Amino acid sequence: MTKLSVNINKIATLRNSRGGDLPNVVQFAKDVQRFGAEGVTIHPRPDERHIRYQDAYDLKPEVYTEYNIEGNPIPKFIDMVLAIKPTQVTLVPDSVDAITSNAGWDTIKHKDFLVEVIKEFKANGIRTSIFVDPEVAQIEGAKETGTDRIELYTEAFAHQYGLGNHEAIKPYTACAELSNALGLGINAGHDLSLDNIKFFKENIPGLLEVSIGHALISESLYLGVENVIQMYLQKLK
């Protein structure tokens, strides 16, 4: 069964919009785990416009499933991850002004940098994952960095699937097959939803984990958080 990790960034966005502590990010993380989620994901950015660096520390003692911290490995981010030691760190090449993640790593161009960062995280017992586009060359490059896993960037699939183009899954399947052959674990995320997650799961051999935030929180406005989490878990079996 593929694990569901809930990205709680949007809860922090809602909290920050009023300047208080409602909704409470830590309580929400505790609740999604109680409702069945098998992990909690956060993606702090330098401007702290949603999840704040302090949130990352506050969440550490309360996440008893898998704790996944995503982000661009700038010095401040690296120091935070090494201090917290989450279950997994997912490296994402965000530009400072990106609204959301919009590209995977060029694992060939940035190989030396990634090797250095990944080596440090792994030496501290932190599982590593690299956010990548669904391109065979990038999977091969990821293998050379020493990473434990890759996270397939699924926006292109989600967009095309919404248009009725089921062929959009093919490059993802090919990358998954190669990752399995190379001994790389497979995660996935970005714009996955209740509408497309079952089809995606069925076509990605060895899919270990999906990280879902925006769609899950949006769907929960209508269907309720506990109900939505159970719906995802059923589709990920």
Side-chain angles (χ1 to χ4, degrees):
M1 180 174 171
T2 303
K3 289 185 176 180
L4 170 67
S5 185
V6 176
N7 185 318
I8 62 173
N9 276 24
K10 281 295 183 293
I11 301 304
T13 302
L14 184 58
R15 174 199 64 187
N16 297 350
S17 69
R18 289 292 294 268
D21 195 31
L22 185 67
N24 182 276
V25 168
V26 172
Q27 184 60 51
F28 192 82
K30 292 164 68 174
D31 288 339
V32 297
Q33 292 174 101
R34 181 165 56 87
F35 296 155
E38 295 135 322
V40 173
T41 293
I42 61 169
H43 189 147
R45 289 184 167 86
D47 62 5
E48 299 188 297
R49 64 181 179 270
H50 32 63
I51 284 289
R52 299 168 182 151
Y53 275 63
Q54 185 58 49
D55 293 327
Y57 290 94
D58 293 344
L59 284 161
K60 169 62 176 175
E62 304 299 342
V63 180
Y64 55 85
T65 55
E66 293 207 351
Y67 191 13
N68 175 43
I69 301 182
E70 302 179 340
N72 195 329
I74 61 175
K76 181 180 179 182
F77 179 86
I78 292 173
D79 290 344
M80 177 195 65
V81 172
L82 291 176
I84 294 172
K85 290 185 171 58
T87 316
Q88 175 175 269
V89 58
T90 301
L91 308 181
V92 183
D94 286 333
S95 59
V96 174
D97 59 349
I99 294 175
T100 186
S101 305
N102 55 18
W105 284 97
D106 184 331
T107 59
I108 300 166
K109 179 179 179 180
H110 298 289
K111 174 186 172 181
D112 291 344
F113 172 70
L114 289 168
V115 166
E116 181 180 352
V117 172
I118 288 168
K119 184 177 180 180
E120 185 169 16
F121 286 141
K122 291 180 70 173
N124 281 271
I126 305 167
R127 188 173 72 223
T128 58
S129 180
I130 303 178
F131 196 60
V132 293
D133 295 318
E135 300 171 5
V136 167
Q138 297 304 329
I139 304 301
E140 293 171 339
K143 176 63 177 178
E144 296 301 312
T145 68
T147 190
D148 299 300
R149 297 186 182 186
I150 51 95
E151 178 175 336
L152 292 170
Y153 173 36
T154 52
E155 181 182 17
F157 157 74
H159 176 70
Q160 289 298 318
Y161 185 86
L163 298 175
N165 177 18
H166 291 193
E167 296 296 301
I169 194 66
K170 287 187 174 180
Y172 293 88
T173 303
C175 285
E177 292 172 346
L178 176 59
S179 295
N180 287 326
L182 294 175
L184 292 172
I186 304 166
N187 299 339
H190 205 93
D191 288 349
L192 295 175
S193 69
L194 286 174
D195 291 333
N196 58 38
I197 191 64
K198 183 174 174 61
F199 179 85
F200 185 82
K201 151 77 174 175
E202 290 173 344
N203 287 276
I204 304 299
L207 181 62
L208 298 174
E209 175 185 296
V210 291
S211 174
I212 306 179
H214 183 78
L216 187 150
I217 301 304
S218 298
E219 291 155 349
S220 295
L221 292 175
Y222 292 92
L223 302 172
V225 180
E226 183 173 7
N227 186 40
V228 166
I229 287 174
Q230 290 302 312
M231 293 170 74
Y232 274 103
L233 295 176
Q234 286 296 318
K235 291 175 183 290
L236 288 169
K237 282 185 176 179

